Amino acid sequence: SVSWVKGAHTLRFGGEVSRTKGRFDLGVFRDGRVEMVQDFPQFDLNRDGRVDDDDLLFAVTLRSGKPDQDLVLDDCSSTYLAGFVQDDWRVRSDLTLNLGLRYEFDTDVNNISRVDQINPIVQPFLQGTRERDMNNWGPRVGFNWAPGDGRTSVRGGYDLYYDRITLQIQSLERGLDGRALPVEVRAGNVFFLDQTTGQFPPFAPSTANPFTGFILPGAGASGINIIDNSLENPTVQQFNLGTQLRLPGDAVLKLDLVHNLGTHFIIGRPI
């Protein structure tokens, strides 16, 4: 960035180029999870002569279909580009204007480089075409006016700010696409409970070895994540207007109005 003072103007301008080289190495769902039905055992369901944790009932288990492998996503990278210019212009001795403009964008936070690799099963949910968010112009306008003897001043401004989209969004679409991370949902021991005897057969899964039940087809555990094609950078518009009055003695009276409006915030929506 560079600052340049010339006459009644204080100019600032500059830019930024930031390359993020991303790689996700995720060990998710490797240990697995057991969905319990009860907190304490009540009966000797496995017929071993004692009531202990091996008699606990559980509904299902969830574990990666590749428990010996991490989910590795290479080249989750993006380049951030930004530039700005601002002028603090002292129009008169009692009036100063602040005028500025900033532009910024990321090249691949919305996984645009791999949009052709998205699981075809979710194509009906993607509307329109996916493009980079290239219209992130942020104007800055402000003023300070202190007429007369300067005991009273009025100031205000308007700014438009853009938030960054983290690479985690890209990793969700690539990692939880229904293929990269197969999560097996298996039947718990409640599926094996003999309704006549109220006991488990010898081959039923137990808390000591829970991931041996049969796979429940169609029971999605991690789900499929997709990025909306119309995803944009979250924005916040800020407006402020205030006045300051110097009272007799050492007292100062201030009155300010501040308004913030946030739009395009990123939220997850189940379908």
Side-chain angles (χ1 to χ4, degrees), residues 51-91:
V51 178
D52 56 17
D53 285 350
D54 285 339
D55 299 300
L56 283 169
L57 292 171
F58 57 94
V60 295
T61 63
L62 297 85
R63 189 172 65 166
S64 170
K66 304 174 182 177
D68 56 337
Q69 299 178 23
D70 283 343
L71 173 62
V72 178
L73 303 174
D74 286 313
D75 192 24
C76 294
S77 305
S78 183
T79 301
Y80 171 71
L81 303 171
F84 73 93
V85 60
Q86 179 170 318
D87 183 15
D88 296 331
W89 177 23
R90 192 171 180 85
V91 182

Side-chain angles (χ1 to χ4, degrees), residues 24-33 62-73 168 171-172 175-176 180-184 222:
F24 288 87
D25 191 342
L26 309 173
V28 292
F29 286 105
R30 286 188 60 176
D31 294 332
R33 189 170 79 214
L62 297 85
R63 189 172 65 166
S64 170
K66 304 174 182 177
D68 56 337
Q69 299 178 23
D70 283 343
L71 173 62
V72 178
L73 303 174
Q168 180 190 13
S171 75
L172 289 174
L176 301 182
L181 178 64
V183 177
E184 295 177 347
S222 60

Side-chain angles (χ1 to χ4, degrees), residues 94-147:
D94 61 352
L95 177 63
T96 300
L97 297 180
N98 314 108
L99 307 172
L101 183 65
R102 180 179 177 89
Y103 177 75
E104 55 189 89
F105 83 100
D106 283 280
T107 59
D108 201 16
V109 288
N110 63 347
N111 199 29
I112 192 172
S113 65
R114 293 179 176 81
V115 69
D116 59 330
Q117 301 175 15
I118 293 177
N119 193 335
I121 198 173
V122 301
Q123 288 295 338
F125 299 99
L126 292 172
Q127 303 298 320
T129 58
R130 184 172 303 186
E131 299 176 348
R132 295 183 178 91
D133 189 6
M134 302 284 289
N135 61 346
N136 296 335
W137 296 95
R140 317 284 167 88
V141 180
F143 73 94
N144 185 64
W145 180 44

